[in-house]
Amino acid sequence: MVKKICGLMVCLCVSVIAFAQSQPKQVLAKADIDNFVKNFTAIQELLDAHVDDLTSVTEGMDTFEADDMQATFAKIRSFAVPPDLKKGLSGLGMGDNGFEKIMVILYSVGIVMSDQMLQEMGVEEQEGAAIIKEQMQSMRDCIHVADMSLIASRSEELMSILENM
């Protein structure tokens, strides 16, 4: 009996380890969203002023394949943000990892918008919906659940400022 229990426990542990996916790190707090909304115009101007510095990290961001999304987020999280951009974003309340926070906000809003559009269009019955949902899931897998929840709770406010870009 002890052998059966031990064998079951070993199988359970192996299964958990094999199927467990590491959760991406959480980067957002309510204050980050507040500062993003409050300072959106200044953030946008700051990013526009550094567009040449950001080309290496923004290349390939138009992909939605799962492996490519993981690579894109790894590139975002490891990007060496120019010191003056880092300082500017920090001065706007976004902290030392302000660029990463902004990218998480933008991707999360994109996910929320896509989910809403799918619901409004009634696409659930169409073949294309499965592909779109899979692509959105690959993006969602790159963002911490708590960050997505925070963005979803402020989605209307965030979408309204981003629509006016």
Side-chain angles (χ1 to χ4, degrees):
M1 182 65 151
V2 172
K3 287 182 180 180
K4 286 183 181 180
I5 293 173
C6 288
L8 182 61
M9 293 301 288
V10 168
C11 288
L12 180 63
C13 289
V14 169
S15 297
V16 168
I17 291 170
F19 294 106
Q21 294 179 349
S22 63
Q23 179 75 267
K25 68 179 181 175
Q26 182 178 357
V27 296
L28 297 176
K30 182 185 178 305
D32 296 319
I33 306 301
D34 294 340
N35 288 324
F36 180 83
V37 170
K38 176 182 168 187
N39 299 310
F40 177 72
T41 303
I43 290 170
Q44 186 177 11
E45 290 170 359
L46 189 59
L47 291 175
D48 287 345
H50 289 84
V51 72
D52 292 337
D53 297 327
L54 301 175
T55 55
S56 67
V57 77
T58 57
E59 289 174 354
M61 283 187 162
D62 56 350
T63 183
F64 294 105
E65 299 298 321
D67 292 341
D68 293 337
M69 284 305 306
Q70 295 292 331
T72 297
F73 263 86
K75 190 166 43 168
I76 289 169
R77 290 193 161 108
S78 65
F79 179 63
V81 178
D84 54 331
L85 175 58
K86 189 175 192 175
K87 182 179 177 185
L89 292 174
S90 183
L92 294 171
M94 298 306 296
D96 286 339
N97 62 337
F99 180 73
E100 179 183 9
K101 290 176 182 180
I102 289 167
M103 298 311 294
V104 168
I105 291 168
L106 295 175
Y107 270 92
S108 298
V109 170
I111 293 168
V112 171
M113 287 176 69
S114 296
D115 289 347
Q116 288 177 355
M117 287 190 319
L118 283 173
Q119 288 176 348
E120 290 171 6
M121 293 173 19
V123 178
E124 292 80 23
E125 295 80 36
Q126 297 178 9
E127 267 183 46
I131 295 169
I132 294 169
K133 286 180 181 181
E134 183 179 322
Q135 292 170 338
M136 291 300 105
Q137 187 59 47
S138 69
M139 289 174 68
R140 191 176 272 111
D141 290 344
C142 296
I143 300 170
H144 194 278
V145 174
D147 289 343
M148 275 301 305
S149 178
L150 185 59
I151 295 298
S153 71
R154 306 271 304 266
S155 63
E156 288 183 29
E157 180 181 19
L158 289 165
M159 284 190 277
S160 70
I161 66 168
L162 292 173
E163 287 174 353
N164 297 320
M165 285 177 51

